[in-house]
Amino acid sequence: MTTTNQSLQTWVDQVAQLTSPDKVVWCDGSDQEYDALVEQMNETGTLSALNQETHPNCFLHLSDPQDVARVEHLTFICTTEKEDAGKNNNWMDISDAKEKMQGLFKNCMNGRTMYVIPYCMGPVDSPYSRCGVEITDSPYVVINMKIMTRMGASALARIERGDPFVKGLHSTGDLDPERRFIMHFPEEYSIMSFGSGYGGNALLGKKCHALRIASWQAREEGWLAEHMLILGLESPEGETHYIAAAFPSACGKTNLAMLIPPESYKDWKIWTLGDDIAWLHMDNEGQLRAVNPEAGYFGVVPGTNAKTNLNAFDMIQRNTIFTNVGQTADGQPWWEDKKEGEPAIDWKGRNYDKNVGPAAHPNSRFTVSATENKAYSELAEAPEGVPISAIVFGGRRRELAPLVYQSKSWQHGVLIGAGVASETTAAATGKVGLVRRDPMAMKPFCGYNFADYWAHWLSFSERSSKLPQIFHVNWFRQDADGRFLWPGFGENMRVLEWIIRRCKGSADAVETAIGYLPTDDGLNLDSVNLNEGDWAALRHVDKEQWLSEMQDVGEYLRSYGDRTPSKLLDEHQRVVNNLSA
Ligand code: OXD
Ligand code: MN
């Protein structure tokens, strides 16, 4: 297969000339192509079959031990003006970056096959979707992209009808961390990624395109590309409301998106539309609508079990690519907190020894099609997306943030989003457990200056009077002994229900300086196991702690200099005044 799109053909030819592959293969996205690649990778040892009786069509990939997570310090936004990338990003001059990357890519595919992957982020027939083409020398990338995107012939047809596309060039190179760079050129909608085979660095449709490049494009075109799950909450009366929620990496987006309601909510249902990325567009009536640009899940494996996330646990019993998990003696995948079986081999392929380390890497992943999820909503394919009633921000905070609170206005909600902070996790290399500012959970993913991004968020209130309500949640509040105050997982349903009742105007709330909180009897706590005093603690707003938090937030916002929108600073001052009153 080649293409009738001249600019695509020219770019592919240029890349082939630069990288000198042995052959060039245009991917059609078919099942036969997937199966043939899996077979080939099994032969070369980059993939191994797991127990096919218990886990049909499941395979394991063990990556280079130094290539197991996103590398934020090696990820760059390259723009003409440094200020456009902002202090939230590493910046490199465009020509310096290109020169560096040309050097790395030169002849790097010698002895390898170059795959050309046309893909579409979002339903192929949606006006909200955007296309891309990834060129890679990694068959692992090809099979993952097949699951994670609408890949191949249908995407190419859309590109050939004249749809603009993002150009992504990727090579695993020699996996040397010293020669690893993930470069973005948002002004020309292109990406160059070298030296890593890890998901977020290598599956370019995901973080690089659908968040970093798309956030830039979204600002130009008047929409939002966000690090958000999308779920539908169906009441016993059959009414469904849609929620988009932003939490930092490995903070439970997948679990919330697939939540199974507890016994006292047995007639309610949660539908999953997406677990990681939402593209939010405003329709002609001023309604914000969401599409999930992805077609699969690239989820964190450890901690997944029948209790924490039964839907995910069930869906990864078949047709799944596992990366960096351990194995039982009979070849079943194994990870910490699986609550089933015993590990025999660890993620480095060695005999498991608990004194040496975990069986599965803490950032080990599953890649699986969204349609394998029992809670999958077919509206994930709807070209017009779904109407969003509520936007939820959240982080992993031991202290301070109450279980749930609601903003007083859109502007206040943007401040709440901009002030999100969370403990770092294993999804990126670096220290785990440090609290850092992660506005809108987009710190690693916003492709431009955060100050301009907040201004873009604020601008939505000028375009519509029926924007979603904005909330903040914290499932991770602990007491002084480190005990979690809230059981989380399925019980989070109670919070979601309150959120929807607030959107409909049918739940009372207590007004505080930081926003509206549930009243004492505001949440249905029927059969939840809370200790005496926990419910009050989960709603406690400590003024001193909050004043100090707001001082921190203020300094953070002002550190973006003149570009920080004055509206946001005014809103910040309003909250500080209320806290001090
Ligand atoms: C992810 C991440 O893989 O956020 O989704 O790191
Ligand atoms: Mn993510």
Side-chain angles (χ1 to χ4, degrees):
M1 187 165 77
T2 49
T3 179
T4 56
N5 182 308
Q6 202 45 56
S7 100
L8 173 55
Q9 187 67 56
T10 305
W11 175 58
V12 170
D13 292 344
Q14 282 166 351
V15 170
Q17 204 165 23
L18 173 68
T19 59
S20 312
D22 282 8
K23 67 179 180 182
V24 177
V25 170
W26 286 71
C27 299
D28 62 13
S30 64
D31 293 343
Q32 294 85 320
E33 176 181 82
Y34 180 92
D35 293 342
L37 278 171
V38 165
E39 196 179 314
Q40 175 199 312
M41 290 171 72
N42 270 306
E43 276 160 23
T44 58
T46 37
L47 214 58
S48 59
L50 288 160
N51 187 323
Q52 295 296 297
E53 264 165 44
T54 57
H55 290 75
N57 211 20
C58 287
F59 299 92
L60 172 64
H61 171 73
L62 299 183
S63 73
D64 184 286
Q66 302 221 63
D67 184 31
V68 292
R70 286 183 290 98
V71 282
E72 293 178 10
H73 60 297
L74 303 173
T75 299
F76 289 80
I77 300 293
C78 309
T79 47
T80 311
E81 301 296 331
K82 184 173 182 186
E83 266 295 287
D84 289 340
K87 71 184 259 293
N88 45 307
N89 284 301
N90 300 313
W91 176 84
M92 202 181 287
D93 171 75
I94 295 176
S95 30
D96 290 352
K98 285 204 172 152
E99 200 182 308
K100 185 184 271 297
M101 296 311 271
Q102 296 278 335
L104 292 170
F105 275 103
K106 185 135 189 61
N107 298 330
C108 73
M109 296 189 191
N110 226 314
R112 301 180 185 182
T113 298
M114 176 176 121
Y115 300 95
V116 181
I117 311 172
Y119 63 87
C120 182
M121 300 311 290
V124 175
D125 53 354
S126 170
Y128 300 147
S129 300
R130 298 288 182 269
C131 286
V133 177
E134 174 165 358
I135 297 180
T136 181
D137 54 9
S138 162
Y140 171 81
V141 166
V142 180
I143 59 171
N144 275 273
M145 286 289 282
K146 150 97 170 149
I147 296 173
M148 295 303 296
T149 72
R150 283 88 172 167
M151 164 190 149
S154 57
L156 183 61
R158 184 169 160 149
I159 291 169
E160 290 182 340
R161 287 195 297 273
D163 214 38
F165 61 95
V166 169
K167 293 182 176 136
L169 173 55
H170 168 255
S171 170
T172 50
D174 49 11
L175 297 176
D176 177 354
E178 298 297 316
R179 288 156 42 85
R180 179 175 296 162
F181 292 98
I182 325 295
M183 303 281 194
H184 303 74
F185 304 92
E187 288 158 22
E188 55 180 59
Y189 297 165
S190 78
I191 305 155
M192 289 175 130
S193 166
F194 189 89
S196 168
Y198 173 74
N201 304 327
L203 312 178
L204 300 187
K206 193 173 179 61
K207 304 299 187 180
C208 301
H209 177 169
L211 286 175
R212 298 195 190 97
I213 298 291
S215 59
W216 178 288
Q217 183 171 22
R219 183 180 47 146
E220 290 181 333
E221 298 176 0
W223 48 283
L224 292 163
E226 297 300 322
H227 193 204
M228 290 178 175
L229 66 91
I230 312 164
L231 63 81
L233 183 149
E234 187 182 329
S235 71
E237 294 75 42
E239 202 181 79
T240 305
H241 288 269
Y242 297 92
I243 296 177
F247 308 140
S249 308
C251 286
K253 283 197 296 305
T254 305
N255 291 343
L256 189 67
M258 296 174 191
L259 181 152
I260 296 181
E263 191 49 32
S264 47
Y265 281 84
K266 67 176 175 9
D267 296 327
W268 294 71
K269 178 99 187 94
I270 296 285
W271 297 101
T272 319
L273 287 108
D275 79 329
D276 195 41
I277 301 177
W279 285 357
L280 304 173
H281 283 78
M282 193 178 287
D283 70 13
N284 293 335
E285 270 77 55
Q287 170 68 54
L288 218 51
R289 307 191 71 88
V291 290
N292 171 13
E294 301 191 281
Y297 310 118
F298 181 67
V300 177
V301 188
T304 307
N305 60 49
K307 233 175 135 185
T308 57
N309 190 340
L310 181 62
N311 282 324
F313 192 68
D314 278 353
M315 81 185 172
I316 59 178
Q317 306 293 323
R318 59 194 173 274
N319 303 331
T320 300
I321 303 168
F322 287 90
T323 301
N324 293 339
V325 295
Q327 290 177 71
T328 60
D330 65 347
Q332 298 188 46
W334 197 90
W335 53 87
E336 275 61 31
D337 257 342
K338 183 180 184 187
K339 312 266 189 225
E340 255 182 48
E342 292 294 330
I345 301 175
D346 75 5
W347 68 278
K348 290 185 177 166
R350 304 169 302 194
N351 287 336
Y352 171 69
D353 176 350
K354 69 173 185 320
N355 300 316
V356 171
H361 186 275
N363 192 37
S364 51
R365 298 282 178 148
F366 55 74
T367 318
V368 65
S369 165
T371 55
E372 296 286 352
N373 170 13
K374 278 201 203 111
Y376 170 74
S377 165
E378 289 189 352
L379 288 180
E381 278 300 328
E384 70 282 9
V386 292
I388 295 296
S389 302
I391 288 177
V392 180
F393 294 116
R396 193 183 275 271
R397 298 294 298 262
R398 268 164 244 202
E399 335 185 293
L400 188 82
L403 179 64
V404 57
Y405 60 102
Q406 180 188 8
S407 77
K408 297 186 177 176
S409 63
W410 180 261
Q411 192 162 312
H412 180 213
V414 175
L415 174 71
I416 291 174
V420 166
S422 191
E423 292 161 34
T424 49
T425 66
T429 52
K431 230 175 145 57
V432 168
L434 299 178
V435 175
R436 72 161 178 183
R437 293 274 151 224
D438 193 349
M440 281 82 171
M442 283 286 278
K443 167 72 186 74
F445 307 121
C446 182
Y448 63 103
N449 191 321
F450 259 152
D452 299 339
Y453 170 74
W454 298 323
H456 181 47
W457 263 85
L458 288 168
S459 73
F460 278 72
S461 63
E462 287 148 30
R463 294 168 56 197
S464 172
S465 56
K466 35 180 184 182
L467 291 170
Q469 296 293 315
I470 300 182
F471 297 81
H472 185 282
V473 298
N474 177 22
W475 314 135
F476 301 95
R477 186 96 175 237
Q478 297 178 13
D479 68 9
D481 301 327
R483 180 181 60 89
F484 286 102
L485 298 185
W486 180 248
F489 302 107
E491 307 297 347
N492 293 337
M493 176 71 199
R494 301 168 194 275
V495 176
L496 297 183
E497 192 222 345
W498 183 78
I499 286 175
I500 292 305
R501 280 197 286 126
R502 285 297 296 166
C503 293
K504 292 183 6 176
S506 64
D508 289 338
V510 177
E511 183 169 358
T512 73
I514 65 162
Y516 299 111
L517 271 83
T519 53
D520 193 35
D521 60 354
L523 243 66
N524 171 359
L525 293 179
D526 176 34
S527 56
V528 192
N529 230 343
L530 292 183
N531 288 2
E532 174 90 33
D534 283 358
W535 177 228
L538 283 162
R539 287 176 304 135
H540 181 59
V541 178
D542 183 305
K543 282 204 175 179
E544 286 313 309
Q545 267 190 344
W546 268 99
L547 271 170
S548 133
E549 170 78 359
M550 290 313 282
Q551 178 160 354
D552 242 48
V553 171
E555 275 164 26
Y556 179 71
L557 298 179
R558 279 189 294 273
S559 72
Y560 283 81
D562 291 350
R563 290 206 190 198
T564 303
S566 54
K567 259 189 176 177
L568 199 59
L569 295 174
D570 293 348
E571 190 61 33
H572 173 262
Q573 193 55 49
R574 197 188 57 74
V575 176
V576 171
N577 294 347
N578 284 346
L579 278 165
S580 322

